Amino acid sequence: TITAHTLEMPRLFGIFFNEQKSPLLSEKPIKEAIRYAIDRNEIAQNVRSGGAVPFAYPLPSFLKLHEQNVLEGAHDIEKAKRLLLEAGWHDSNDDGILDKTSQRTKTKPRERTDLIFTITTSDWPDLVRSAQTLKEELQKAGIGITIETLPFTELETKVIRPRNFQILLFGQVYGYEPDPFPFWHSSQIKDPGLNIALYINKKTDRILESARQINDALVRQNKYKEFEDEILDDIPANFLYSQTFLYLQPRDLKGAHLKKISLPADRFNEINLWHRETKRVFR
């Protein structure tokens, strides 16, 4: 018989918005509508490489910056539709995709814009399934989605490094002491920086710079809470799930107490504590 251990990993997956490639993604009602249209539980259930926990924040859950019920009300397809309707998006030709027609001017005729985006991701099966689920859910809100999948090497060289995407479905990997600076500071928007959402916010820059100078873990955690609040308000990305790692041990093996790891090999960090039998020793 065996015991299954599910370990939390600081690996967060989400969709990152590139406003430079699709100016529509600079419109907050659209990004909010995408947030509410997504069913994170459904996406997490389809992750088969170890597993996943629905998660909507940009920093690992073990920091405990928010309450455990953070996902309550996060999936609301009717609210997504309402946000888009209030922003002037309608399905004028009944094709299931919302659109908006611009006003005629002296120099420009009326033009219709369809609410359609391309999600680019790796050909890793879990991400392909996640992209397909996202497509199905966003289409319920009237947002059209096309999916582009590439092998990881091509994704890195042709998409991530040149920031050549509209919406990127990808992950961020943190260590035991998470530092969001490489992923979110404005100095990191160009390759080899990891700010793939091209996010620029002077306030978060100051927060991240300050956090790096703080030794007190509690004070630094409060800084990260400020940072997350800014990200959630600006919506440069929508996070979907946190990856978990599943491994099996014989049921009679004792001493495995790890709750989280950063890398798969870290599951052996306390191997010196593993044992099968104990014996009382008298001095």
Side-chain angles (χ1 to χ4, degrees):
T1 58
I2 59 174
T3 299
H5 298 270
T6 301
L7 305 181
E8 181 182 358
M9 299 184 74
R11 297 187 176 193
L12 310 179
F13 287 82
I15 48 175
F16 299 83
F17 303 132
N18 187 342
E19 298 175 8
Q20 294 185 8
K21 291 295 182 180
S22 180
L24 289 177
L25 291 170
S26 65
E27 298 183 18
K28 194 168 183 179
I30 293 176
K31 293 187 290 186
E32 286 185 318
I34 292 174
R35 172 186 286 171
Y36 285 109
I38 295 171
D39 185 348
R40 290 170 177 79
N41 289 298
E42 181 69 22
I43 293 173
Q45 287 174 7
N46 289 324
V47 176
R48 298 169 189 169
S49 300
V53 177
F55 196 65
Y57 291 93
L59 286 175
S61 60
F62 63 74
L63 289 177
K64 301 188 184 305
L65 301 180
H66 294 272
E67 298 296 330
Q68 292 302 307
N69 61 352
V70 293
L71 290 175
E72 287 185 9
H75 176 51
D76 189 336
I77 194 68
E78 294 305 317
K79 185 169 184 176
K81 291 178 180 179
R82 187 166 62 252
L83 284 166
L84 294 172
L85 181 63
E86 292 171 353
W89 292 93
H90 305 271
D91 186 4
S92 64
N93 58 356
D94 294 322
D95 65 349
I97 304 299
L98 299 178
D99 57 78
K100 183 187 288 188
T101 302
S102 64
Q103 296 293 324
R104 187 195 307 273
T105 67
K106 291 182 179 180
T107 57
K108 285 186 178 181
R110 291 165 61 90
E111 293 182 351
R112 194 187 78 186
T113 300
D114 291 322
L115 195 56
I116 297 177
F117 303 104
T118 297
I119 292 179
T120 306
T121 192
S122 161
D123 60 1
W124 183 37
D126 280 344
L127 289 178
V128 174
R129 283 190 292 271
S130 294
Q132 185 59 43
T133 303
L134 285 167
K135 177 178 180 176
E136 294 168 0
E137 293 174 344
L138 293 176
Q139 284 184 335
K140 295 175 185 177
I143 301 172
I145 293 294
T146 58
I147 298 173
E148 177 186 30
T149 61
L150 295 169
F152 179 75
T153 52
E154 286 188 46
L155 186 73
E156 183 181 25
T157 58
K158 296 181 180 179
V159 176
I160 296 175
R161 296 181 67 178
R163 313 304 198 237
N164 185 27
F165 61 88
Q166 293 184 346
I167 299 177
L168 177 68
L169 171 57
F170 203 60
Q172 292 180 334
V173 180
Y174 287 93
Y176 291 111
E177 293 292 336
D179 180 10
F181 186 100
F183 298 112
W184 295 106
H185 194 274
S186 63
S187 66
Q188 306 299 305
I189 62 175
K190 293 183 179 180
D191 183 66
L194 300 175
N195 185 348
I196 54 179
L198 303 175
Y199 181 63
I200 299 176
N201 181 319
K202 291 182 179 179
K203 181 176 180 180
T204 56
D205 279 355
R206 290 193 297 269
I207 292 171
L208 296 177
E209 291 162 8
S210 174
R212 280 190 155 188
Q213 308 301 317
I214 297 172
N215 292 322
D216 187 302
L218 182 59
V219 177
R220 187 169 61 248
Q221 186 164 317
N222 289 334
K223 283 289 183 182
Y224 286 157
K225 174 66 166 61
E226 290 181 49
F227 160 76
E228 280 205 333
D229 289 342
E230 283 294 309
I231 292 289
L232 294 174
D233 185 59
D234 287 342
I235 322 179
N238 271 323
F239 284 88
L240 307 173
Y241 62 86
S242 175
Q243 189 177 13
T244 57
F245 184 85
L246 176 68
Y247 80 104
L248 308 177
Q249 284 187 329
R251 189 177 293 276
D252 62 348
L253 186 65
K254 304 176 180 64
H257 303 301
L258 285 174
K259 299 298 181 183
K260 65 178 184 290
I261 57 174
S262 181
L263 299 171
D266 292 347
R267 67 189 185 276
F268 299 116
N269 282 353
E270 295 182 353
I271 194 171
N272 59 303
L273 301 177
W274 296 4
H275 60 278
R276 274 199 164 93
E277 298 177 358
T278 58
K279 179 169 66 172
R280 190 183 299 274
V281 176
F282 295 95
R283 292 185 179 183

